[in-house]
Amino acid sequence: MAPDRDLPPLIADEREMLRAYLDYQRATLAIKCDGLAEEDLRRAAAPPSTLSLLGLVRHMAEVERAWFRRIIDGQDIPLVWSDRGDFQVAYDVRGAGAEEAFAAWRAEIGHSRRIERQAASLDVTGYLAKADAKVSLRRAMVHLIDEYARHNGHADLIREAVDGTVGF
């Protein structure tokens, strides 16, 4: 059974709109992965690319962790799968388990939601080391929406190559 996915509201304040669009994109990735066996989640759609649905889930766990826990909340923690800060490691699914990947992704989403809800406003800032600059929670949320939307386009193509399923 496919996960529920609510359409974002047509009218809402800025924070609720950002929150709703981010949750919509998260749910879209879950739907693209729903009902597939682990071997299908590992399958790359377009060799020589190794990009797979499982790799996307692992990557988005890293992105959630980096932007919300490390950047906005200032936690001094490594990425989930790379102690060197290499986001590409998440795409290597050789030996990776789907259960572990989805558990990590769901956990990071939970942390992200908690951090966002506890923030006094969208103007709360964290530190983005690669830019040596402050970055707002607003910007982090927009970045995550953008990141999910781009990768959900990849997920559309991968899912279609795996079993012919299109749409959602």
Short mmCIF file of all heavy atoms in Angstrom, two decimals, residues 98-162:
data_model
loop_
_atom_site.label_atom_id
_atom_site.label_comp_id
_atom_site.label_asym_id
_atom_site.label_seq_id
_atom_site.Cartn_x
_atom_site.Cartn_y
_atom_site.Cartn_z
N ALA A 98 18.06 -2.23 2.71
CA ALA A 98 16.93 -1.32 2.57
C ALA A 98 16.34 -0.96 3.92
O ALA A 98 16.01 0.21 4.18
CB ALA A 98 15.86 -1.92 1.66
N GLU A 99 16.21 -1.93 4.81
CA GLU A 99 15.62 -1.65 6.12
C GLU A 99 16.43 -0.61 6.87
O GLU A 99 15.88 0.34 7.44
CB GLU A 99 15.53 -2.95 6.94
CG GLU A 99 14.75 -2.80 8.21
CD GLU A 99 14.56 -4.14 8.92
OE1 GLU A 99 14.22 -5.13 8.25
OE2 GLU A 99 14.75 -4.15 10.15
N GLU A 100 17.75 -0.76 6.85
CA GLU A 100 18.63 0.20 7.52
C GLU A 100 18.52 1.59 6.87
O GLU A 100 18.44 2.61 7.57
CB GLU A 100 20.08 -0.27 7.45
CG GLU A 100 21.07 0.74 8.01
CD GLU A 100 22.51 0.43 7.67
OE1 GLU A 100 22.78 -0.28 6.68
OE2 GLU A 100 23.38 0.94 8.40
N ALA A 101 18.49 1.63 5.54
CA ALA A 101 18.42 2.91 4.82
C ALA A 101 17.12 3.64 5.13
O ALA A 101 17.14 4.84 5.42
CB ALA A 101 18.57 2.68 3.32
N PHE A 102 16.01 2.92 5.06
CA PHE A 102 14.73 3.57 5.32
C PHE A 102 14.60 3.99 6.78
O PHE A 102 14.04 5.04 7.08
CB PHE A 102 13.56 2.68 4.88
CG PHE A 102 13.31 2.74 3.41
CD1 PHE A 102 13.92 1.83 2.55
CD2 PHE A 102 12.50 3.71 2.87
CE1 PHE A 102 13.71 1.89 1.18
CE2 PHE A 102 12.28 3.78 1.50
CZ PHE A 102 12.89 2.87 0.65
N ALA A 103 15.14 3.19 7.69
CA ALA A 103 15.11 3.56 9.12
C ALA A 103 15.92 4.83 9.35
O ALA A 103 15.49 5.73 10.08
CB ALA A 103 15.62 2.41 9.98
N ALA A 104 17.10 4.91 8.74
CA ALA A 104 17.93 6.10 8.89
C ALA A 104 17.24 7.32 8.30
O ALA A 104 17.24 8.40 8.90
CB ALA A 104 19.30 5.88 8.23
N TRP A 105 16.66 7.15 7.11
CA TRP A 105 15.96 8.26 6.45
C TRP A 105 14.80 8.75 7.31
O TRP A 105 14.65 9.95 7.56
CB TRP A 105 15.50 7.81 5.07
CG TRP A 105 14.80 8.85 4.26
CD1 TRP A 105 15.20 10.12 4.00
CD2 TRP A 105 13.55 8.69 3.56
NE1 TRP A 105 14.29 10.77 3.18
CE2 TRP A 105 13.27 9.90 2.90
CE3 TRP A 105 12.67 7.62 3.43
CZ2 TRP A 105 12.13 10.09 2.13
CZ3 TRP A 105 11.54 7.82 2.65
CH2 TRP A 105 11.27 9.02 2.01
N ARG A 106 13.96 7.82 7.79
CA ARG A 106 12.83 8.21 8.64
C ARG A 106 13.31 8.90 9.92
O ARG A 106 12.71 9.88 10.37
CB ARG A 106 11.96 7.01 8.96
CG ARG A 106 11.10 6.55 7.79
CD ARG A 106 10.09 5.49 8.20
NE ARG A 106 10.72 4.27 8.69
CZ ARG A 106 11.06 3.23 7.94
NH1 ARG A 106 10.84 3.23 6.65
NH2 ARG A 106 11.62 2.17 8.49
N ALA A 107 14.39 8.39 10.51
CA ALA A 107 14.92 9.00 11.73
C ALA A 107 15.40 10.43 11.46
O ALA A 107 15.12 11.34 12.26
CB ALA A 107 16.07 8.16 12.29
N GLU A 108 16.09 10.62 10.35
CA GLU A 108 16.58 11.96 10.03
C GLU A 108 15.42 12.92 9.75
O GLU A 108 15.47 14.09 10.13
CB GLU A 108 17.57 11.93 8.88
CG GLU A 108 18.88 11.25 9.23
CD GLU A 108 19.58 11.82 10.46
OE1 GLU A 108 19.49 13.04 10.71
OE2 GLU A 108 20.24 11.03 11.16
N ILE A 109 14.38 12.44 9.08
CA ILE A 109 13.19 13.28 8.86
C ILE A 109 12.59 13.67 10.21
O ILE A 109 12.20 14.83 10.42
CB ILE A 109 12.16 12.56 7.97
CG1 ILE A 109 12.68 12.47 6.53
CG2 ILE A 109 10.80 13.27 8.02
CD1 ILE A 109 11.85 11.58 5.62
N GLY A 110 12.53 12.74 11.14
CA GLY A 110 12.01 13.04 12.48
C GLY A 110 12.83 14.12 13.17
O GLY A 110 12.28 15.05 13.77
N HIS A 111 14.16 14.01 13.09
CA HIS A 111 15.03 15.04 13.67
C HIS A 111 14.80 16.39 12.98
O HIS A 111 14.73 17.42 13.63
CB HIS A 111 16.50 14.65 13.53
CG HIS A 111 16.92 13.52 14.41
ND1 HIS A 111 16.88 13.58 15.79
CD2 HIS A 111 17.39 12.29 14.09
CE1 HIS A 111 17.32 12.44 16.28
NE2 HIS A 111 17.63 11.63 15.28
N SER A 112 14.70 16.36 11.65
CA SER A 112 14.49 17.60 10.90
C SER A 112 13.20 18.28 11.31
O SER A 112 13.17 19.50 11.53
CB SER A 112 14.46 17.30 9.39
OG SER A 112 15.69 16.78 8.95
N ARG A 113 12.15 17.50 11.40
CA ARG A 113 10.85 18.08 11.80
C ARG A 113 10.92 18.68 13.20
O ARG A 113 10.38 19.75 13.45
CB ARG A 113 9.76 17.01 11.73
CG ARG A 113 9.36 16.67 10.32
CD ARG A 113 8.30 15.60 10.32
NE ARG A 113 7.81 15.37 8.96
CZ ARG A 113 7.42 14.20 8.51
NH1 ARG A 113 7.45 13.13 9.29
NH2 ARG A 113 7.00 14.09 7.27
N ARG A 114 11.57 17.99 14.12
CA ARG A 114 11.70 18.48 15.49
C ARG A 114 12.48 19.80 15.52
O ARG A 114 12.05 20.77 16.15
CB ARG A 114 12.40 17.43 16.36
CG ARG A 114 12.66 17.90 17.79
CD ARG A 114 13.48 16.88 18.59
NE ARG A 114 14.70 16.43 17.93
CZ ARG A 114 15.83 17.14 17.86
NH1 ARG A 114 15.89 18.35 18.38
NH2 ARG A 114 16.90 16.64 17.26
N ILE A 115 13.59 19.84 14.81
CA ILE A 115 14.42 21.06 14.77
C ILE A 115 13.64 22.21 14.16
O ILE A 115 13.65 23.33 14.69
CB ILE A 115 15.74 20.78 14.02
CG1 ILE A 115 16.61 19.83 14.85
CG2 ILE A 115 16.47 22.07 13.68
CD1 ILE A 115 17.74 19.17 14.08
N GLU A 116 12.95 21.96 13.07
CA GLU A 116 12.17 23.02 12.41
C GLU A 116 11.06 23.53 13.33
O GLU A 116 10.86 24.73 13.46
CB GLU A 116 11.58 22.50 11.10
CG GLU A 116 10.78 23.53 10.33
CD GLU A 116 9.31 23.58 10.69
OE1 GLU A 116 8.70 22.51 10.88
OE2 GLU A 116 8.76 24.70 10.79
N ARG A 117 10.37 22.63 13.99
CA ARG A 117 9.25 23.04 14.84
C ARG A 117 9.72 23.78 16.09
O ARG A 117 9.01 24.64 16.61
CB ARG A 117 8.39 21.84 15.21
CG ARG A 117 7.61 21.33 14.02
CD ARG A 117 6.59 20.27 14.39
NE ARG A 117 5.97 19.67 13.23
CZ ARG A 117 5.03 20.20 12.48
NH1 ARG A 117 4.59 21.41 12.75
NH2 ARG A 117 4.52 19.57 11.45
N GLN A 118 10.91 23.46 16.57
CA GLN A 118 11.43 24.13 17.76
C GLN A 118 12.04 25.49 17.46
O GLN A 118 12.22 26.29 18.37
CB GLN A 118 12.48 23.24 18.45
CG GLN A 118 11.87 22.03 19.12
CD GLN A 118 12.92 21.11 19.73
OE1 GLN A 118 14.11 21.23 19.47
NE2 GLN A 118 12.46 20.19 20.56
N ALA A 119 12.34 25.74 16.21
CA ALA A 119 12.95 27.03 15.84
C ALA A 119 11.94 28.16 16.02
O ALA A 119 10.77 28.03 15.64
CB ALA A 119 13.44 26.98 14.39
N ALA A 120 12.38 29.24 16.58
CA ALA A 120 11.50 30.37 16.86
C ALA A 120 10.91 30.97 15.59
O ALA A 120 9.78 31.44 15.58
CB ALA A 120 12.25 31.44 17.64
N SER A 121 11.69 30.96 14.51
CA SER A 121 11.21 31.52 13.25
C SER A 121 12.02 30.95 12.10
O SER A 121 13.03 30.27 12.31
CB SER A 121 11.32 33.05 13.25
OG SER A 121 12.65 33.45 12.99
N LEU A 122 11.62 31.27 10.90
CA LEU A 122 12.36 30.85 9.71
C LEU A 122 13.67 31.62 9.57
O LEU A 122 14.52 31.26 8.76
CB LEU A 122 11.50 31.05 8.45
CG LEU A 122 10.28 30.15 8.34
CD1 LEU A 122 9.42 30.57 7.15
CD2 LEU A 122 10.69 28.68 8.20
N ASP A 123 13.83 32.67 10.37
CA ASP A 123 15.05 33.47 10.33
C ASP A 123 16.16 32.93 11.23
O ASP A 123 17.26 33.48 11.24
CB ASP A 123 14.73 34.92 10.71
CG ASP A 123 13.81 35.58 9.69
OD1 ASP A 123 13.99 35.31 8.49
OD2 ASP A 123 12.92 36.34 10.10
N VAL A 124 15.87 31.86 11.96
CA VAL A 124 16.92 31.22 12.76
C VAL A 124 18.03 30.82 11.81
O VAL A 124 17.78 30.38 10.68
CB VAL A 124 16.34 29.97 13.48
CG1 VAL A 124 17.43 29.06 13.98
CG2 VAL A 124 15.41 30.39 14.61
N THR A 125 19.29 31.00 12.24
CA THR A 125 20.40 30.69 11.34
C THR A 125 21.30 29.60 11.90
O THR A 125 21.40 29.40 13.11
CB THR A 125 21.27 31.93 11.04
OG1 THR A 125 21.82 32.41 12.26
CG2 THR A 125 20.48 33.00 10.33
N GLY A 126 21.93 28.92 10.96
CA GLY A 126 22.98 27.97 11.26
C GLY A 126 24.20 28.38 10.46
O GLY A 126 24.19 29.41 9.79
N TYR A 127 25.23 27.55 10.52
CA TYR A 127 26.46 27.88 9.83
C TYR A 127 26.72 26.90 8.70
O TYR A 127 26.78 25.69 8.92
CB TYR A 127 27.63 27.87 10.82
CG TYR A 127 28.96 28.15 10.17
CD1 TYR A 127 29.26 29.43 9.70
CD2 TYR A 127 29.90 27.15 10.02
CE1 TYR A 127 30.48 29.69 9.09
CE2 TYR A 127 31.12 27.41 9.42
CZ TYR A 127 31.41 28.67 8.96
OH TYR A 127 32.61 28.93 8.36
N LEU A 128 26.88 27.42 7.49
CA LEU A 128 27.17 26.63 6.31
C LEU A 128 28.67 26.75 6.04
O LEU A 128 29.14 27.75 5.48
CB LEU A 128 26.35 27.13 5.11
CG LEU A 128 26.52 26.39 3.79
CD1 LEU A 128 26.14 24.91 3.93
CD2 LEU A 128 25.66 27.04 2.72
N ALA A 129 29.42 25.74 6.46
CA ALA A 129 30.89 25.80 6.41
C ALA A 129 31.41 25.99 4.99
O ALA A 129 32.33 26.79 4.78
CB ALA A 129 31.48 24.54 7.03
N LYS A 130 30.84 25.30 4.00
CA LYS A 130 31.41 25.40 2.65
C LYS A 130 31.25 26.80 2.07
O LYS A 130 31.99 27.17 1.16
CB LYS A 130 30.84 24.34 1.72
CG LYS A 130 29.41 24.52 1.32
CD LYS A 130 28.99 23.40 0.39
CE LYS A 130 27.60 23.61 -0.12
NZ LYS A 130 27.20 22.53 -1.03
N ALA A 131 30.33 27.60 2.59
CA ALA A 131 30.18 28.98 2.15
C ALA A 131 30.76 29.95 3.18
O ALA A 131 30.80 31.16 2.94
CB ALA A 131 28.71 29.30 1.93
N ASP A 132 31.21 29.42 4.33
CA ASP A 132 31.69 30.24 5.44
C ASP A 132 30.71 31.37 5.72
O ASP A 132 31.08 32.55 5.78
CB ASP A 132 33.09 30.79 5.16
CG ASP A 132 33.70 31.46 6.39
OD1 ASP A 132 33.32 31.08 7.52
OD2 ASP A 132 34.54 32.36 6.22
N ALA A 133 29.43 30.97 5.87
CA ALA A 133 28.38 31.98 6.05
C ALA A 133 27.22 31.41 6.86
O ALA A 133 27.03 30.19 6.93
CB ALA A 133 27.86 32.43 4.69
N LYS A 134 26.47 32.33 7.44
CA LYS A 134 25.23 31.93 8.10
C LYS A 134 24.20 31.59 7.03
O LYS A 134 24.22 32.15 5.93
CB LYS A 134 24.71 33.06 8.98
CG LYS A 134 25.53 33.30 10.22
CD LYS A 134 24.89 34.41 11.03
CE LYS A 134 25.68 34.64 12.30
NZ LYS A 134 25.06 35.69 13.13
N VAL A 135 23.28 30.71 7.38
CA VAL A 135 22.19 30.34 6.49
C VAL A 135 20.92 30.20 7.32
O VAL A 135 20.96 29.71 8.45
CB VAL A 135 22.53 29.03 5.71
CG1 VAL A 135 22.73 27.86 6.64
CG2 VAL A 135 21.45 28.71 4.69
N SER A 136 19.81 30.68 6.79
CA SER A 136 18.56 30.65 7.55
C SER A 136 17.86 29.30 7.42
O SER A 136 18.06 28.55 6.46
CB SER A 136 17.62 31.76 7.06
OG SER A 136 17.14 31.45 5.76
N LEU A 137 17.00 29.04 8.38
CA LEU A 137 16.14 27.86 8.32
C LEU A 137 15.29 27.91 7.06
O LEU A 137 15.08 26.89 6.40
CB LEU A 137 15.26 27.78 9.57
CG LEU A 137 14.19 26.68 9.59
CD1 LEU A 137 14.81 25.29 9.45
CD2 LEU A 137 13.35 26.79 10.86
N ARG A 138 14.82 29.10 6.69
CA ARG A 138 14.03 29.27 5.47
C ARG A 138 14.81 28.74 4.27
O ARG A 138 14.32 27.97 3.47
CB ARG A 138 13.70 30.75 5.28
CG ARG A 138 13.00 31.09 3.98
CD ARG A 138 12.79 32.60 3.81
NE ARG A 138 11.87 33.13 4.81
CZ ARG A 138 12.26 33.79 5.92
NH1 ARG A 138 13.55 34.02 6.15
NH2 ARG A 138 11.36 34.24 6.77
N ARG A 139 16.07 29.15 4.15
CA ARG A 139 16.91 28.72 3.03
C ARG A 139 17.16 27.21 3.07
O ARG A 139 17.17 26.55 2.04
CB ARG A 139 18.24 29.49 3.07
CG ARG A 139 19.27 29.05 2.05
CD ARG A 139 18.77 29.15 0.62
NE ARG A 139 19.83 28.94 -0.34
CZ ARG A 139 20.28 27.73 -0.71
NH1 ARG A 139 19.78 26.65 -0.20
NH2 ARG A 139 21.24 27.63 -1.61
N ALA A 140 17.34 26.66 4.25
CA ALA A 140 17.54 25.22 4.39
C ALA A 140 16.30 24.46 3.90
O ALA A 140 16.42 23.47 3.17
CB ALA A 140 17.85 24.85 5.83
N MET A 141 15.13 24.93 4.27
CA MET A 141 13.90 24.26 3.85
C MET A 141 13.71 24.35 2.34
O MET A 141 13.33 23.37 1.69
CB MET A 141 12.69 24.82 4.61
CG MET A 141 12.73 24.46 6.09
SD MET A 141 11.35 25.15 7.02
CE MET A 141 10.04 24.01 6.53
N VAL A 142 13.98 25.53 1.77
CA VAL A 142 13.88 25.68 0.32
C VAL A 142 14.87 24.75 -0.37
O VAL A 142 14.55 24.10 -1.37
CB VAL A 142 14.08 27.15 -0.10
CG1 VAL A 142 14.27 27.28 -1.61
CG2 VAL A 142 12.92 28.01 0.37
N HIS A 143 16.09 24.67 0.16
CA HIS A 143 17.09 23.78 -0.42
C HIS A 143 16.61 22.33 -0.40
O HIS A 143 16.76 21.61 -1.39
CB HIS A 143 18.43 23.89 0.30
CG HIS A 143 19.44 22.94 -0.26
ND1 HIS A 143 20.11 23.19 -1.43
CD2 HIS A 143 19.85 21.73 0.17
CE1 HIS A 143 20.90 22.16 -1.69
NE2 HIS A 143 20.76 21.26 -0.73
N LEU A 144 16.05 21.89 0.71
CA LEU A 144 15.56 20.51 0.80
C LEU A 144 14.43 20.25 -0.18
O LEU A 144 14.39 19.18 -0.80
CB LEU A 144 15.10 20.18 2.23
CG LEU A 144 16.11 19.53 3.16
CD1 LEU A 144 16.29 18.07 2.91
CD2 LEU A 144 17.41 20.25 3.24
N ILE A 145 13.52 21.19 -0.33
CA ILE A 145 12.44 21.04 -1.30
C ILE A 145 13.02 20.88 -2.70
O ILE A 145 12.63 19.99 -3.46
CB ILE A 145 11.45 22.23 -1.24
CG1 ILE A 145 10.69 22.22 0.08
CG2 ILE A 145 10.48 22.20 -2.44
CD1 ILE A 145 9.97 23.52 0.40
N ASP A 146 13.98 21.73 -3.04
CA ASP A 146 14.65 21.66 -4.33
C ASP A 146 15.37 20.32 -4.51
O ASP A 146 15.26 19.67 -5.56
CB ASP A 146 15.63 22.82 -4.47
CG ASP A 146 16.45 22.74 -5.73
OD1 ASP A 146 15.88 22.83 -6.83
OD2 ASP A 146 17.69 22.61 -5.62
N GLU A 147 16.10 19.89 -3.52
CA GLU A 147 16.86 18.64 -3.59
C GLU A 147 15.93 17.45 -3.79
O GLU A 147 16.18 16.59 -4.64
CB GLU A 147 17.69 18.48 -2.31
CG GLU A 147 18.58 17.28 -2.32
CD GLU A 147 20.02 17.58 -2.68
OE1 GLU A 147 20.38 18.76 -2.86
OE2 GLU A 147 20.79 16.62 -2.76
N TYR A 148 14.87 17.39 -3.00
CA TYR A 148 13.91 16.30 -3.17
C TYR A 148 13.26 16.34 -4.55
O TYR A 148 13.12 15.31 -5.21
CB TYR A 148 12.81 16.36 -2.10
CG TYR A 148 13.12 15.61 -0.84
CD1 TYR A 148 13.47 16.29 0.32
CD2 TYR A 148 13.04 14.22 -0.78
CE1 TYR A 148 13.74 15.61 1.50
CE2 TYR A 148 13.31 13.53 0.38
CZ TYR A 148 13.66 14.23 1.53
OH TYR A 148 13.93 13.55 2.69
N ALA A 149 12.86 17.52 -4.99
CA ALA A 149 12.17 17.62 -6.29
C ALA A 149 13.06 17.14 -7.43
O ALA A 149 12.62 16.39 -8.31
CB ALA A 149 11.71 19.06 -6.53
N ARG A 150 14.33 17.54 -7.41
CA ARG A 150 15.27 17.08 -8.46
C ARG A 150 15.43 15.57 -8.40
O ARG A 150 15.35 14.88 -9.42
CB ARG A 150 16.63 17.76 -8.31
CG ARG A 150 16.62 19.20 -8.78
CD ARG A 150 17.99 19.86 -8.74
NE ARG A 150 18.49 19.98 -7.38
CZ ARG A 150 19.54 19.31 -6.89
NH1 ARG A 150 20.21 18.49 -7.64
NH2 ARG A 150 19.94 19.49 -5.66
N HIS A 151 15.63 15.04 -7.20
CA HIS A 151 15.84 13.60 -7.08
C HIS A 151 14.56 12.79 -7.29
O HIS A 151 14.62 11.64 -7.73
CB HIS A 151 16.51 13.27 -5.75
CG HIS A 151 17.93 13.72 -5.70
ND1 HIS A 151 18.83 13.47 -6.71
CD2 HIS A 151 18.62 14.40 -4.76
CE1 HIS A 151 20.00 13.97 -6.40
NE2 HIS A 151 19.90 14.56 -5.22
N ASN A 152 13.43 13.39 -7.02
CA ASN A 152 12.17 12.69 -7.32
C ASN A 152 11.98 12.55 -8.83
O ASN A 152 11.36 11.60 -9.29
CB ASN A 152 10.98 13.38 -6.66
CG ASN A 152 10.90 13.05 -5.18
OD1 ASN A 152 11.42 12.04 -4.72
ND2 ASN A 152 10.24 13.91 -4.43
N GLY A 153 12.53 13.47 -9.60
CA GLY A 153 12.54 13.30 -11.06
C GLY A 153 13.37 12.09 -11.45
O GLY A 153 12.98 11.30 -12.31
N HIS A 154 14.53 11.93 -10.80
CA HIS A 154 15.34 10.73 -11.03
C HIS A 154 14.54 9.49 -10.62
O HIS A 154 14.55 8.47 -11.32
CB HIS A 154 16.64 10.77 -10.22
CG HIS A 154 17.52 11.92 -10.54
ND1 HIS A 154 18.07 12.72 -9.57
CD2 HIS A 154 17.95 12.43 -11.71
CE1 HIS A 154 18.81 13.65 -10.13
NE2 HIS A 154 18.74 13.50 -11.44
N ALA A 155 13.88 9.58 -9.47
CA ALA A 155 13.11 8.44 -8.96
C ALA A 155 12.01 8.03 -9.94
O ALA A 155 11.72 6.84 -10.10
CB ALA A 155 12.53 8.76 -7.59
N ASP A 156 11.38 9.00 -10.59
CA ASP A 156 10.36 8.69 -11.61
C ASP A 156 10.95 7.78 -12.68
O ASP A 156 10.35 6.76 -13.05
CB ASP A 156 9.87 9.96 -12.31
CG ASP A 156 8.93 10.81 -11.49
OD1 ASP A 156 8.27 10.27 -10.58
OD2 ASP A 156 8.85 12.02 -11.77
N LEU A 157 12.10 8.17 -13.20
CA LEU A 157 12.73 7.41 -14.28
C LEU A 157 13.21 6.04 -13.81
O LEU A 157 13.07 5.04 -14.53
CB LEU A 157 13.89 8.20 -14.88
CG LEU A 157 13.50 9.52 -15.55
CD1 LEU A 157 14.74 10.30 -15.93
CD2 LEU A 157 12.62 9.26 -16.76
N ILE A 158 13.78 6.00 -12.61
CA ILE A 158 14.27 4.72 -12.09
C ILE A 158 13.10 3.76 -11.88
O ILE A 158 13.16 2.59 -12.28
CB ILE A 158 15.06 4.94 -10.78
CG1 ILE A 158 16.32 5.76 -11.06
CG2 ILE A 158 15.41 3.59 -10.15
CD1 ILE A 158 17.03 6.25 -9.80
N ARG A 159 12.03 4.25 -11.26
CA ARG A 159 10.86 3.37 -11.00
C ARG A 159 10.29 2.86 -12.30
O ARG A 159 9.93 1.68 -12.42
CB ARG A 159 9.80 4.12 -10.18
CG ARG A 159 8.57 3.30 -9.84
CD ARG A 159 8.91 2.11 -8.94
NE ARG A 159 7.81 1.19 -8.77
CZ ARG A 159 7.12 1.04 -7.64
NH1 ARG A 159 7.41 1.78 -6.58
NH2 ARG A 159 6.16 0.16 -7.58
N GLU A 160 10.18 3.70 -13.31
CA GLU A 160 9.66 3.26 -14.59
C GLU A 160 10.56 2.17 -15.20
O GLU A 160 10.08 1.17 -15.74
CB GLU A 160 9.53 4.42 -15.58
CG GLU A 160 8.90 4.02 -16.88
CD GLU A 160 8.66 5.19 -17.83
OE1 GLU A 160 9.03 6.32 -17.50
OE2 GLU A 160 8.08 4.94 -18.90
N ALA A 161 11.87 2.32 -15.06
CA ALA A 161 12.79 1.32 -15.60
C ALA A 161 12.71 0.01 -14.81
O ALA A 161 12.88 -1.07 -15.37
CB ALA A 161 14.22 1.85 -15.56
N VAL A 162 12.41 0.09 -13.53
CA VAL A 162 12.35 -1.10 -12.69
C VAL A 162 11.12 -1.95 -13.00
O VAL A 162 11.22 -3.14 -13.22
CB VAL A 162 12.38 -0.72 -11.18
CG1 VAL A 162 11.99 -1.90 -10.31
CG2 VAL A 162 13.75 -0.20 -10.79
#
